[in-house]
């Protein structure tokens, strides 16, 4: 059970969340979420989840591996945020978590009760729509908020027309 969303209360605003995972389709999800946020006077959260890795090395090696993963996450988020600023004109919130993507997404939704919609984009690979879309879709009705999944064929211009 998810906590009641606060986004419609005074002093709050509805937030759209997109997950940054380095896939080509995540750029479409960010574009759609950013446009929806701007057009509805809402907010945009960009979430990067550092995958659970085998950080069970010697302490020094583990710290270096974690630091490198964190630096990569920060650089990837910074690039996505800059694109949002330049193309949409809003300032996104950036969040970095470590662990299972599905668990971290649900955890952030529970913590930030203004998050009202998760935006994902399906991939066009023959293996399926992508691990994140499959993971969320596999949860079925147990997912705590609405999820918007963009088809792989939409261009930014078509996304703008939908928003």
């Amino acid at each position: 059970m998810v906590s009641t969303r606060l986004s419609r209360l005074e002093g709050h605003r509805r937030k759209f969340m997109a997950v940054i995972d380095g896939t080509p389709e995540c750029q479409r999800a960010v574009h759609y979420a950013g446009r929806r946020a701007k057009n509805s006077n809402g907010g945009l959260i960009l979430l990067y989840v550092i995958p659970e890795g085998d950080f069970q090395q010697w302490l020094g090696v583990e710290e270096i591996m974690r630091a490198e993963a964190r630096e990569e996450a920060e650089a990837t988020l910074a690039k996505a945020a800059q694109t949002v600023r330049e193309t949409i004109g809003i300032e996104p919130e950036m969040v970095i978590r470590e662990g299972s993507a599905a668990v971290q997404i649900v955890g952030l939704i529970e913590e930030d009760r203004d998050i009202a919609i998760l935006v994902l984009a399906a991939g066009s690979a023959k293996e399926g729509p992508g691990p994140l879309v499959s993971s969320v879709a596999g949860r079925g009705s147990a997912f705590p908020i609405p999820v918007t999944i963009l088809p792989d064929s939409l261009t930014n211009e078509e996304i703008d027309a939908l928003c």
Side-chain angles (χ1 to χ4, degrees):
M1 183 85 180
V2 71
S3 299
T4 303
R5 303 289 89 192
L6 302 176
S7 56
R8 295 290 182 195
L9 299 177
E10 188 174 329
H12 295 268
R13 64 184 181 151
R14 178 172 58 170
K15 294 180 183 176
F16 296 80
M17 181 168 62
V19 179
I20 306 299
D21 61 4
T23 61
E25 58 265 19
C26 87
Q27 296 170 10
R28 286 193 320 279
V30 169
H31 188 81
Y32 180 86
R35 284 284 180 213
R36 288 289 315 274
K38 183 173 184 171
N39 291 345
S40 66
N41 199 27
L44 172 63
I45 294 183
L46 303 178
L47 171 65
Y48 187 104
V49 180
I50 298 170
E52 294 176 305
D54 186 18
F55 294 130
Q56 306 297 323
Q57 308 292 330
W58 294 303
L59 186 58
V61 175
E62 176 183 349
E63 289 174 4
I64 291 169
M65 291 173 69
R66 282 186 194 276
E68 288 173 350
R70 180 82 183 187
E71 286 176 15
E72 179 182 338
E74 289 170 352
T76 303
L77 269 178
K79 183 177 177 183
Q82 186 61 32
T83 299
V84 168
R85 287 183 206 102
E86 291 172 358
T87 61
I88 301 172
I90 63 172
E91 183 65 36
E93 294 178 48
M94 295 179 283
V95 178
I96 298 174
R97 297 284 181 95
E98 184 179 316
S100 159
V103 169
Q104 296 305 318
I105 290 168
V106 172
L108 183 56
I109 290 168
E110 185 61 30
E111 290 170 27
D112 187 339
R113 294 172 52 196
D114 287 341
I115 299 172
I117 298 175
L118 172 62
V119 179
L120 303 173
S124 57
K126 64 181 178 180
E127 295 84 29
L132 194 52
V133 171
S134 297
S135 171
V136 170
R139 290 181 61 115
S141 63
F143 204 76
I145 62 172
V147 179
T148 299
I149 300 177
L150 300 173
D152 65 338
S153 60
L154 293 178
T155 65
N156 281 349
E157 292 77 22
E158 291 169 323
I159 290 170
D160 292 344
L162 289 171
C163 294

